[in-house]
Amino acid sequence: MARRVLLAGGLAATAVGVSGVPVWASSRRAAPEIASTSEWGAREPSSPVQVLDQRPVKIVVHHTATPNSEDTSKEHAVSLARQIQDFHMDSNGWIDTGQNFTNSRGGWLLEGRHKSLSVLTAGDQHVLGAHAGEQNSVSLGIENEGTYTDAAVPDALWDSLVELCSYMVAQYGIEPGEIYGHRDFMATECPGEVLYGRLPELREAVGAAAGRAVVQPAVWPLLKAGAAGPRVTALQLLLRDRGESLPVDGVFGGRTQQVAGRLAGELGAAGVSCSATRVPEPGLFGGRGWDGLVPVVGPGASGDAVRAAQALLISGGRYVPADARFADRMVAAVREFQASAGLAVSGVVDRATWMRLLA
């Protein structure tokens, strides 16, 4: 069982009704036991830690990509926190640990970047971390010890992750559905296929703890080396629409990986790993890369971007001619798809429609 203490003082409000009463505030809230930076002997930051005068609206889950240690002691968790901080400061050149909190395989929770614990306890500001690119200013980062590409998640780690996320949701009024994996924003395996696959379960568990309904989010897919199918075909056509020269064969091979990887770098969707041990991750495309790639296309448009949307619609069982023209049948098919996906029905393939088509 996770270790708890009870903090008094209540929650800061993220929304206030006309009566002046916070709509989700509570007078007392159970908080997990979290070892502060002073308790685990952290180094001082090399520069002042930035505290933003706003609440975070998301939680980003990571794995450390370190060995799956059998040592579940508090001493091991402390050693891990020190190793991460040393790597982030000495190798990555960051001012401090990148993530806000660390969760060990034994279920021990530790503060990551300085001030993260006191700011979370207050519930009305946000410590700017370095864990998920442009999402740092709006999200809390949690590093979970281990590598979960194919290994099971330990029960102790899972329980403490649920508890920490539940506390974050309570303190800041974050929607339980706003819990993401690192790969949702950047081209990385993080937090590993197994842990990432349990994020819907995590959202539901946090929602149940908070007594709130959960809306599972739409996210961009991650393409890996050797992937094949309509998503890859769409990627190749979208890259060609940007003027890139590459074959449209539906296979995420060498040339496609090269071009897509360059684009991901230009868009800030790939870069230094947040993990305690840097693991090379070639041949990946996802997250913000898609954001910078998909155009808005609608009636009268033509070209490879329209062909990309047609390929995805056809793969989903909708009849449209694969003629690169956004004509009447294409408009009707897009409207039908949007209605079935619960999107605004416009007949225009916008960002939200691309995301659902690629899901």
Side-chain angles (χ1 to χ4, degrees):
M1 295 293 293
R3 299 154 300 281
R4 292 174 177 267
V5 294
L6 189 66
L7 298 185
L11 305 177
T14 57
V16 178
V18 293
S19 65
V21 178
V23 300
W24 56 270
S26 172
S27 60
R28 295 175 72 86
R29 182 67 59 173
E33 179 182 314
I34 304 172
S36 68
T37 50
S38 61
E39 289 174 328
W40 60 261
R43 296 159 56 181
E44 287 300 310
S46 60
S47 296
V49 168
Q50 187 174 358
V51 179
L52 304 178
D53 195 21
Q54 63 190 44
R55 298 178 181 89
V57 297
K58 301 175 186 177
I59 298 169
V60 179
V61 174
H62 305 259
H63 70 175
T64 61
T66 52
N68 293 323
S69 175
E70 296 296 323
D71 189 343
T72 59
S73 67
K74 185 174 182 179
E75 291 73 22
H76 172 77
V78 167
S79 176
L80 171 73
R82 291 172 178 165
Q83 290 170 23
I84 293 174
Q85 186 185 40
D86 287 345
F87 177 78
H88 285 181
M89 294 181 71
D90 300 337
S91 297
N92 289 355
W94 298 344
I95 64 169
D96 194 3
T97 299
Q99 73 276 7
N100 299 99
F101 295 94
T102 303
N103 183 21
S104 81
R105 285 173 59 83
W108 299 97
L109 295 171
L110 305 95
E111 181 180 25
R113 181 155 291 202
H114 283 73
K115 300 185 179 180
S116 293
L117 180 54
S118 61
V119 168
L120 172 61
T121 302
D124 55 6
Q125 292 179 306
H126 172 48
V127 170
L128 181 67
H131 60 94
E134 66 173 4
Q135 297 297 317
N136 292 330
S137 63
V138 295
S139 69
L140 291 156
I142 305 172
E143 284 276 13
N144 295 277
E145 180 193 6
T147 301
Y148 299 104
T149 51
D150 53 22
V153 178
D155 289 343
L157 182 145
W158 178 259
D159 291 344
S160 55
L161 178 60
V162 171
E163 190 176 25
L164 178 57
C165 289
S166 299
Y167 183 59
M168 290 174 167
V169 162
Q171 289 297 86
Y172 287 120
I174 298 170
E175 290 297 327
E178 292 296 302
I179 300 174
Y180 296 91
H182 188 191
R183 68 167 62 180
D184 291 327
F185 305 108
M186 303 184 80
T188 175
E189 289 266 12
C190 184
E193 201 68 37
V194 177
L195 181 52
Y196 183 78
R198 294 190 68 180
L199 292 188
E201 180 186 350
L202 176 61
R203 298 179 191 113
E204 293 292 345
V206 172
R212 293 158 69 179
V214 177
V215 177
Q216 296 288 346
V219 295
W220 297 114
L222 178 69
L223 297 181
K224 304 179 184 181
R231 288 175 174 171
V232 181
T233 298
L235 171 64
Q236 291 169 332
L237 288 166
L238 288 167
L239 289 169
R240 285 171 63 93
D241 189 64
R242 290 174 59 96
E244 300 288 352
S245 175
L246 73 167
V248 181
D249 58 8
V251 178
F252 196 49
R255 175 61 181 162
T256 304
Q257 291 175 35
Q258 178 187 18
V259 175
R262 185 178 72 245
L263 174 66
E266 292 171 355
L267 296 172
V272 175
S273 169
C274 71
S275 60
T277 300
R278 183 181 299 181
V279 178
E281 296 184 305
L284 298 176
F285 183 81
R288 191 180 174 192
W290 289 108
D291 254 326
L293 183 61
V294 295
V296 175
V297 291
S302 62
D304 283 330
V306 177
R307 286 180 63 201
Q310 290 173 336
L312 293 169
L313 286 165
I314 292 169
S315 73
R318 298 183 185 276
Y319 169 70
V320 290
D323 59 2
R325 296 175 57 247
F326 210 119
D328 291 346
R329 180 57 207 154
M330 178 70 172
V331 174
V334 170
R335 292 176 64 87
E336 291 166 4
F337 174 81
Q338 290 170 329
S340 68
L343 300 171
V345 179
S346 63
V348 172
V349 183
D350 55 12
R351 178 185 181 277
T353 305
W354 279 115
M355 185 176 279
R356 290 290 186 180
L357 284 169
L358 286 159

